[in-house]
Amino acid sequence: MNDMNTTQHTSQQYNHELEEARSKLMTMGGLVESQVTNAIKALLDRDSALGEKVAYSDHEINAMEIMLDEHCAEIIARRQPAASDLRLLITIIKVITDLERIGDEAEKVGRYAVEMAETPTYGDLHNALRHLGEHVKVMLSDTLDVLGRLDVAQAMQVVRNDQQVDEEFDSITRQLYTRMLEDPRNIKDSLNVTWCARSLERVGDHCKNICEYVIYLVKGKDVRHTNIESIRETLLGE
Amino acid sequence: MNDMNTTQHTSQQYNHELEEARSKLMTMGGLVESQVTNAIKALLDRDSALGEKVAYSDHEINAMEIMLDEHCAEIIARRQPAASDLRLLITIIKVITDLERIGDEAEKVGRYAVEMAETPTYGDLHNALRHLGEHVKVMLSDTLDVLGRLDVAQAMQVVRNDQQVDEEFDSITRQLYTRMLEDPRNIKDSLNVTWCARSLERVGDHCKNICEYVIYLVKGKDVRHTNIESIRETLLGE
């Protein structure tokens, strides 16, 4: 009777630890999402104080990456999980690196928001930046959804959407280039906006990476580093 | 007797698998190093063919990341390694992501090398780019050394050197900015060179990340995302 209780207790503890890992992952995701949202807002509103707050808050995300890495490693060491749980834990370990890097990009945008708060209006660039920002926020929100529900169809949608983000980024950099040609006095600001756009584009890349890991986790098929057509073929072929 | 042979055999197999993981890691590192070296060469020599070759070869590195991830996951699942081996395997899983991203940056530089092969000479920028390239190559070579020998002192040296790379990057972007102001016809090329310099600076960041993982692995102390002074304090404090 005692052994059964112990086994049950251990099993409950294990389930609790797994659930805690997933819960911490979603918390980290929420922190990152908040940082990206605030960074974009700070940039578009030229809100220096908000930009500073974003830059200052990045350390929380870094701390969460370290803690989650340890938590997952401990579960693996002490519980010796079966194959599917192990793959989930390893996926979490991989994915939190991308989340932390998204946090880094948000911090950079926050710093640029502080630097550019005193500059003249963005003019026609404001719309383009806003669109890029909106797309990236949706991608990130969808990515956190994918992580929470392990939904392959939605993951594929995110991977597909990254192309749109890349195209908007190319469009912005072309507009900025034209702006620089028109007037050398525009160069400094245009460069700064280019860096911000690049950071947002990289957030999109990280979202795509995370979704590829999830597709790999759920489907067991290697879709990382392939294009969306190959992914669709691979998944339809089964 | 049979059990002892089986145990010995299993133990030998396990050691072989661990050794294979480390060996594949070094092979992947070598591939990445070759890509970065060639990318920088293609850029400085304006060698379009070499740039194309670099861009084309990135898929090999992506394939190695996927294979190594699987290899490590399988060892963890089947061998249920003890704590120190487990931490090594998890470190490898984390580190190969940074190696793959270094490969991505090399691919980008390769593509820019193709695009810029027809442009006029870099002029005074050539020296600055060459210096940055040299520094990054040394950082990467040292990082692979650190991975091979798990040498904490050398790892700390690499982390310290990243600051130098960041300073050279800032210096180049200032020079490029001046160049853009002098003549709008310089803008397109200067922008492209800026992106290349940014890619090289990111390679330095990834090297620093890898070395921080190694310090964490060997010392068991959290030094990730801290500055070099804190790392030194943390390690001296023991």
Side-chain angles (χ1 to χ4, degrees):
Chain A
M1 200 57 176
N2 209 16
D3 280 341
M4 274 178 64
N5 280 345
T6 308
T7 308
Q8 214 175 28
H9 177 67
T10 306
S11 170
Q12 273 173 357
Q13 259 193 310
Y14 171 56
N15 285 335
H16 173 75
E17 285 162 7
L18 264 188
E19 195 41 50
E20 208 186 338
R22 295 193 59 167
S23 166
K24 282 177 172 166
L25 174 69
M26 298 319 295
T27 301
M28 185 181 178
L31 254 179
V32 166
E33 188 175 29
S34 159
Q35 284 282 85
V36 169
T37 301
N38 284 342
I40 292 171
K41 189 178 195 317
L43 184 70
L44 292 174
D45 296 351
R46 282 149 62 241
D47 184 338
S48 165
L50 185 57
E52 284 238 37
K53 183 180 166 210
V54 169
Y56 172 79
S57 307
D58 186 54
H59 67 93
E60 284 182 61
I61 292 171
N62 299 339
M64 287 211 72
E65 185 203 1
I66 290 170
M67 178 191 58
L68 247 175
D69 264 339
E70 267 303 313
H71 185 83
C72 292
E74 264 176 57
I75 297 177
I76 294 172
R78 284 189 297 106
R79 302 295 181 194
Q80 289 164 355
S84 61
D85 286 345
L86 176 62
R87 290 183 71 230
L88 172 68
L89 289 161
I90 289 176
T91 300
I92 292 176
I93 287 171
K94 293 285 266 191
V95 151
I96 59 184
T97 306
D98 277 282
L99 283 181
E100 190 271 326
R101 302 288 154 85
I102 291 175
D104 281 350
E105 298 299 339
E107 182 197 17
K108 282 179 193 159
V109 173
R111 290 192 194 283
Y112 277 117
V114 172
E115 196 177 319
M116 292 193 287
E118 302 308 313
T119 64
T121 176
Y122 295 124
D124 47 324
L125 276 176
H126 196 273
N127 255 357
L129 257 184
R130 193 168 52 79
H131 277 136
L132 180 59
E134 285 305 314
H135 264 123
V136 164
K137 280 192 290 184
V138 166
M139 264 192 92
L140 182 51
S141 169
D142 287 350
T143 298
L144 296 182
D145 233 3
V146 164
L147 274 177
R149 302 187 297 121
L150 300 180
D151 183 326
V152 167
Q154 194 177 18
M156 286 184 58
Q157 190 67 43
V158 172
V159 172
R160 198 176 292 127
N161 287 347
D162 187 51
Q163 199 172 325
Q164 206 176 8
V165 167
D166 289 348
E167 284 168 7
E168 285 196 8
F169 170 72
D170 285 342
S171 165
I172 284 186
T173 42
R174 276 194 304 269
Q175 288 181 56
L176 286 161
Y177 170 54
T178 306
R179 210 165 176 255
M180 287 189 243
L181 285 175
E182 285 171 355
D183 189 348
R185 286 171 302 176
N186 286 334
I187 291 177
K188 195 169 179 62
D189 295 337
S190 299
L191 265 182
N192 283 340
V193 174
T194 309
W195 289 128
C196 289
R198 173 67 106 190
S199 278
L200 294 177
E201 186 251 347
R202 291 197 69 90
V203 172
D205 280 348
H206 286 297
C207 290
K208 181 165 81 94
N209 289 335
I210 291 170
C211 288
E212 283 175 347
Y213 283 131
V214 170
I215 295 171
Y216 184 42
L217 170 68
V218 173
K219 290 292 183 180
K221 287 184 194 281
D222 294 337
V223 298
R224 290 183 288 167
H225 311 300
T226 61
N227 57 36
I228 191 64
E229 293 77 25
S230 299
I231 296 176
R232 210 178 292 120
E233 275 170 30
T234 304
L235 296 183
L236 286 174
E238 55 178 14
Chain B
M1 198 59 178
N2 207 19
D3 280 342
M4 274 175 66
N5 281 345
T6 308
T7 308
Q8 214 175 29
H9 178 66
T10 306
S11 170
Q12 274 174 357
Q13 261 193 310
Y14 171 54
N15 285 335
H16 174 73
E17 284 162 7
L18 265 188
E19 197 39 53
E20 210 186 336
R22 294 193 60 167
S23 166
K24 282 177 173 167
L25 174 68
M26 298 320 294
T27 301
M28 185 180 177
L31 254 179
V32 166
E33 187 174 29
S34 159
Q35 284 282 86
V36 169
T37 301
N38 283 342
I40 292 170
K41 189 178 195 314
L43 184 70
L44 292 174
D45 296 351
R46 281 146 66 241
D47 184 339
S48 165
L50 186 56
E52 285 237 37
K53 183 181 167 210
V54 169
Y56 172 80
S57 307
D58 187 53
H59 68 91
E60 283 184 62
I61 292 171
N62 300 339
M64 285 212 72
E65 186 203 359
I66 290 170
M67 178 189 60
L68 248 175
D69 263 339
E70 267 303 312
H71 185 83
C72 291
E74 264 177 55
I75 297 177
I76 294 172
R78 285 188 297 104
R79 302 294 181 196
Q80 290 165 356
S84 60
D85 285 345
L86 176 63
R87 291 182 70 230
L88 172 66
L89 288 161
I90 290 176
T91 300
I92 292 175
I93 287 171
K94 293 286 265 190
V95 151
I96 60 183
T97 305
D98 277 282
L99 281 181
E100 190 272 326
R101 303 287 155 83
I102 291 174
D104 281 349
E105 298 300 339
E107 182 197 16
K108 282 179 193 158
V109 174
R111 291 194 194 282
Y112 277 115
V114 172
E115 194 177 321
M116 291 194 286
E118 302 306 314
T119 63
T121 177
Y122 296 125
D124 47 325
L125 275 176
H126 195 273
N127 255 357
L129 258 184
R130 192 168 53 78
H131 277 136
L132 179 58
E134 285 305 315
H135 265 121
V136 165
K137 280 192 289 185
V138 165
M139 264 191 93
L140 181 51
S141 169
D142 287 349
T143 297
L144 296 182
D145 233 2
V146 164
L147 275 177
R149 302 188 297 121
L150 299 180
D151 184 326
V152 166
Q154 194 178 18
M156 286 184 57
Q157 190 66 43
V158 173
V159 171
R160 199 176 292 125
N161 286 347
D162 186 50
Q163 200 172 323
Q164 207 176 7
V165 166
D166 288 348
E167 285 168 7
E168 285 196 7
F169 169 73
D170 286 340
S171 165
I172 284 186
T173 43
R174 276 195 303 270
Q175 288 182 55
L176 286 161
Y177 170 52
T178 307
R179 213 165 174 255
M180 286 190 245
L181 284 174
E182 283 169 356
D183 188 348
R185 287 172 301 175
N186 286 334
I187 292 178
K188 194 170 178 63
D189 295 336
S190 298
L191 265 181
N192 282 339
V193 174
T194 309
W195 291 128
C196 289
R198 172 68 105 188
S199 278
L200 293 178
E201 186 252 347
R202 292 198 70 89
V203 170
D205 279 349
H206 286 298
C207 289
K208 181 165 81 92
N209 289 335
I210 291 171
C211 287
E212 283 175 346
Y213 283 130
V214 170
I215 295 171
Y216 183 42
L217 168 68
V218 174
K219 290 292 183 178
K221 288 186 194 278
D222 292 338
V223 297
R224 289 183 288 168
H225 312 299
T226 60
N227 56 38
I228 190 64
E229 292 76 27
S230 298
I231 296 177
R232 209 178 293 120
E233 274 170 29
T234 304
L235 297 183
L236 285 174
E238 55 176 16

